[in-house]
Amino acid sequence: MSNTFILNGKETPLKPDQMILEAARNGGIEIPTLCYLKGATPTGACRICLVEVKGARSLMAACSTPVSQGMEVFTDSTLVHQARKLNVELLLSSGKHNCMTCEANGNCRLQDLAYFYKITTPRFEESEQKYPTEDENPFIVRDFSRCILCGRCVQACNELVVNRAISLGYRGSESKVVTGGDGPYNDSECVFCGQCVEVCPVGALTEKKAKGLGRPWETQKIRTTCPYCGVGCQQLLHVKDGKIIKVTAVEDAQPNQGRLCVKGRFAYDFIYSEERLKTPLIREKNGEFREASWDEALDLVATKFKEIIKKDGPDAIAGVSCARSINEDSYQMQKLFRAVIGTNNIDHCART
Ligand code: FES
């Protein structure tokens, strides 16, 4: 007997240990999710992925229910849509989801679901704002009034990047994503990799530096390799009017699989620094620097190298390549030193 289940009346293959969500997606059926985070343990927190399973006493969360041989699943029934819509309405009433000024407008799963279910006026009363917004750090704004407690940030911090800086704290209507001791990010174990921001499906966690700089539909997304170290993490530059306003990771791309470190995500300001050297400088005999052409500077370095080698041998020269070099440039640097200059005095400044 082949491994199949019945998905919306159609025989569909399944793999061992698969959840309904994954098996359905493989079968070409999309089920909406909010809390589901690929690569992390499913929590079943949001109940947006509810499906009908024949014989089950209640609707099941597709993200956390294993699929089994012969199971009959319905993802598109009236009951399913009524339940999903109700859950979206409850989430909308859980905080201040006013999209007009939200940084996530245009990139918000809750907004998409509200649109899909044509929810113009929330059926339930909006909850009081319990916790003030926290933006005491240079990178991340935590707006608790927009948090739907899906737990994706916690899963990402604990299971994807394994920093374990945040968890779900308090109980019931007091629930909140907390750091150890419930202090601000600044006083916590947080290393500001920003993975929590990356996975937040609403506007509860946003990049501080990108605030007010552009909407998602106004930016061009340019894929590139992070310039910081030789790992080669894949990132997306969000560019508006020729200027980077935000950096995110490329989902599912190797080698970083949707993750970035604090430098890759937030430290792109140097590109626009007025102090950035764009022309070679040559130090004069009086100690002052003067601008020079690349030809002049390179000729001078080559001449000096030759003089040193002639006088003291190649081991009198050492090279340190830049931590921001790509692997190919670092390879060429060591080739230059070993094969051309003739020394093994070559290193890579990886610790910045
Ligand atoms: Fe399944 Fe949230 S996505 S419960």
Side-chain angles (χ1 to χ4, degrees):
M1 200 176 179
S2 60
N3 269 349
T4 58
F5 72 116
I6 311 298
L7 182 61
N8 295 342
K10 193 175 149 214
E11 198 172 28
T12 307
L14 65 88
K15 289 188 190 142
D17 302 325
Q18 253 185 342
M19 298 297 157
I20 295 174
L21 178 71
E22 210 185 339
R25 283 182 176 173
N26 287 347
I29 300 290
E30 193 49 45
I31 297 173
T33 60
L34 266 175
C35 70
Y36 170 75
L37 181 62
K38 195 175 168 190
T41 314
T43 58
C46 74
R47 319 308 284 175
I48 291 300
C49 66
L50 290 177
V51 292
E52 228 180 314
V53 176
K54 194 173 177 187
R57 286 194 301 179
S58 61
L59 296 177
M60 309 296 283
C63 67
S64 52
T65 306
V67 67
S68 58
Q69 174 73 34
M71 187 184 248
E72 251 186 277
V73 177
F74 304 92
T75 68
D76 205 21
S77 66
T78 305
L79 197 60
V80 161
H81 285 299
Q82 275 173 348
R84 287 183 193 162
K85 184 179 178 193
L86 172 67
N87 288 341
V88 174
E89 287 176 298
L90 287 168
L91 289 172
L92 284 171
S93 70
S94 71
K96 302 205 176 312
H97 298 289
N98 49 335
C99 302
M100 300 283 276
T101 52
C102 181
E103 273 302 307
N105 188 3
N107 183 30
C108 172
R109 292 201 199 180
L110 188 60
Q111 185 186 58
D112 293 344
L113 285 162
Y115 185 79
F116 179 80
Y117 284 114
K118 301 183 181 64
I119 304 169
T120 47
T121 317
R123 200 183 337 165
F124 307 106
E125 206 179 311
E126 186 180 285
S127 301
E128 290 280 302
Q129 181 167 351
K130 289 206 174 59
Y131 302 107
T133 299
E134 180 212 309
D135 67 348
E136 294 161 29
N137 65 78
F139 305 115
I140 298 170
V141 179
R142 302 170 78 197
D143 184 344
F144 296 101
S145 72
R146 298 185 192 278
C147 177
I148 55 169
L149 293 168
C150 66
R152 275 170 70 98
C153 54
V154 175
Q155 296 290 94
C157 188
N158 293 337
E159 295 193 22
L160 299 191
V161 291
V162 202
N163 278 331
R164 302 201 175 103
I166 50 175
S167 59
L168 284 164
Y170 305 106
R171 289 288 178 272
S173 63
E174 305 294 314
S175 293
K176 180 193 182 195
V177 174
V178 293
T179 60
D182 192 18
Y185 267 10
N186 256 348
D187 302 335
S188 74
E189 298 291 308
C190 176
V191 295
F192 293 105
C193 68
Q195 202 62 32
C196 54
V197 181
E198 178 100 30
V199 302
C200 180
V202 291
L205 295 165
T206 50
E207 291 92 346
K208 195 170 181 177
K209 291 202 296 190
K211 199 170 169 42
L213 295 185
R215 294 299 197 186
W217 59 86
E218 296 173 324
T219 60
Q220 200 187 347
K221 319 285 183 297
I222 301 171
R223 181 170 171 167
T224 189
T225 302
C226 178
Y228 270 104
C229 72
V231 173
C233 292
Q234 294 301 292
Q235 52 183 204
L236 279 183
L237 307 180
H238 298 238
V239 177
K240 187 185 171 196
D241 300 331
K243 206 162 176 189
I244 300 169
I245 63 165
K246 182 162 87 171
V247 174
T248 55
V250 179
E251 217 183 321
D252 286 338
Q254 296 296 352
N256 48 318
Q257 295 177 322
R259 289 166 287 192
L260 288 174
C261 72
V262 60
K263 292 193 291 182
R265 191 183 302 279
F266 294 116
Y268 50 85
D269 314 52
F270 71 91
I271 300 168
Y272 305 110
S273 170
E274 290 296 317
E275 294 173 6
R276 196 171 170 201
L277 289 182
K278 293 175 183 156
T279 317
L281 299 176
I282 290 179
R283 195 194 291 271
E284 297 284 26
K285 287 215 165 49
N286 63 6
E288 295 290 311
F289 283 109
R290 71 166 169 84
E291 289 193 354
S293 68
W294 280 106
D295 281 348
E296 186 188 0
L298 290 172
D299 283 349
L300 179 67
V301 171
T303 309
K304 294 278 182 198
F305 274 3
K306 280 183 198 155
E307 284 172 15
I308 295 168
I309 293 168
K310 195 169 173 195
K311 185 165 169 274
D312 297 310
D315 281 340
I317 296 177
V320 179
S321 71
C322 175
R324 289 182 191 156
S325 308
I326 56 173
N327 281 338
E328 289 78 2
D329 285 349
S330 292
Y331 176 81
Q332 285 178 334
M333 180 80 170
Q334 65 84 27
K335 266 286 179 219
L336 173 73
F337 270 71
R338 293 203 167 104
V340 179
I341 293 175
T343 178
N344 286 324
N345 292 339
I346 173 73
D347 205 349
H348 176 263
C349 152
R351 293 170 294 277
T352 53

